[in-house]
Amino acid sequence: MSLRQELLARPGRKVRLAEHDPGNTLGFTDKLAAREELEANVRRLAALQYRLFAEGRRAVLVVFQAMDAGGKDGAIRRVMSGLNPQSCRVTSFKKPSEAELAHDFLWRIHKAVPARGEIGIFNRSHYEDVLVVRVHNLVPKAVWSERYEDINRFEKLLARNDVVLLKFFLHISRKEQRERLLARVEDPERNWKITPEDLEERKYWGDYVRAYEEAIERCSTGHAPWYIIPANHKWFRDLAVSQILVETLEGLKPKFPAPKFDLSKVRVV
Ligand code: AMP
Ligand code: MG
């Protein structure tokens, strides 16, 4: 079975994160070999991106979600390092502004969806509206509980309009989070990354687990699948994400468009 098959959250299936080992490497043991494999995938992605852009018919949207210190920034940096910035854009979703809160929760998201030919990467996403919002009761349950349906319909709309969606949950253990937060406290070059909220949010670990389980369970669909990526080992995380991206893009078979006129008669003077 391919990594893509193994890490897919199968649509309609119950999700229990406790059954997914964040330290799993699915039989891969050689970190150096995995790094080489990652580099090969990064090169493949660059070539596929070029075709996708030339074809100009479909967009790709990659969503990253994780607990704090789960590795979203790192995965984006390592896996996307070979992409041409011309047709690729990363959007990080923070606490909504007043203007954003004055609209429906998908308004700011829809504006950031990539155009045909482009690759869009979301660092956090509309899922925050059923994660942090649910955990902290930022809106009543009656409101957030309807959002799963809104999300599924929104993602269906995107899929029908040639946006290929894939969603990665980077799954770390609570212990691994502690170590990463400690490293942020100790390493002067990482101090800037730690916020009082990170320490506060850790207390809600169990609530976040339940919120993630329900989001993945209800919103992993054929047209917008969730993948649960064991992410304690950064080298495996990056290998798995890059591999799934390559497989997905290869499956699209992007084609160079036919020349717009008869090239056999062309003379370049
Ligand atoms: P970071 O990704 O570390 O820069 O942090 C961004 C923060 O914004 C996190 O604490 C998120 O939970 C928060 N955030 C993102 N989207 C939302 C949202 N829709 N509602 C409330 N908080 C959000
Ligand atoms: Mg943070």
Side-chain angles (χ1 to χ4, degrees), residues 63-118:
V63 168
F64 285 95
Q65 285 286 162
M67 300 282 196
D68 291 313
K72 301 187 297 301
D73 295 346
I76 292 170
R77 178 164 50 88
R78 301 300 289 246
V79 178
M80 309 300 174
S81 59
L83 295 188
N84 179 352
Q86 173 131 285
S87 63
C88 168
R89 183 156 53 113
V90 182
T91 310
S92 297
F93 291 97
K94 309 285 182 190
K95 280 200 186 83
S97 66
E98 256 186 63
E100 287 168 345
L101 282 175
H103 292 267
D104 71 87
F105 78 102
L106 291 169
W107 180 73
R108 65 173 183 161
I109 308 293
H110 208 159
K111 283 199 294 187
V113 169
R116 292 174 213 280
E118 292 179 352

Side-chain angles (χ1 to χ4, degrees), residues 68 72-73 92-96 101 105 108 123-130 132-133 138 147 184 193 195 197-198 201 208:
D68 291 313
K72 301 187 297 301
D73 295 346
S92 297
F93 291 97
K94 309 285 182 190
K95 280 200 186 83
L101 282 175
F105 78 102
R108 65 173 183 161
N123 184 341
R124 302 186 190 270
S125 64
H126 42 304
Y127 282 92
E128 292 292 326
D129 292 282
V130 289
V132 64
V133 168
L138 301 181
R147 289 183 173 170
R184 289 182 180 184
K193 269 200 156 195
T195 63
E197 290 94 67
D198 291 339
E201 290 307 277
Y208 273 106

Side-chain angles (χ1 to χ4, degrees), residues 41-51 82-84:
N41 282 341
V42 166
R43 286 192 294 275
R44 285 186 197 117
L45 279 177
L48 286 159
Q49 177 196 24
Y50 182 63
R51 282 170 175 267
L83 295 188
N84 179 352

Side-chain angles (χ1 to χ4, degrees), residues 50-62:
Y50 182 63
R51 282 170 175 267
L52 193 81
F53 184 59
E55 182 190 68
R57 286 205 298 121
R58 290 166 293 182
V60 173
L61 174 55
V62 189

Side-chain angles (χ1 to χ4, degrees), residues 155-168:
E155 292 182 351
K156 185 87 192 177
L157 165 83
L158 297 184
R160 283 179 172 148
N161 285 275
D162 304 313
V163 180
V164 177
L165 254 140
L166 53 172
K167 304 174 292 199
F168 293 110

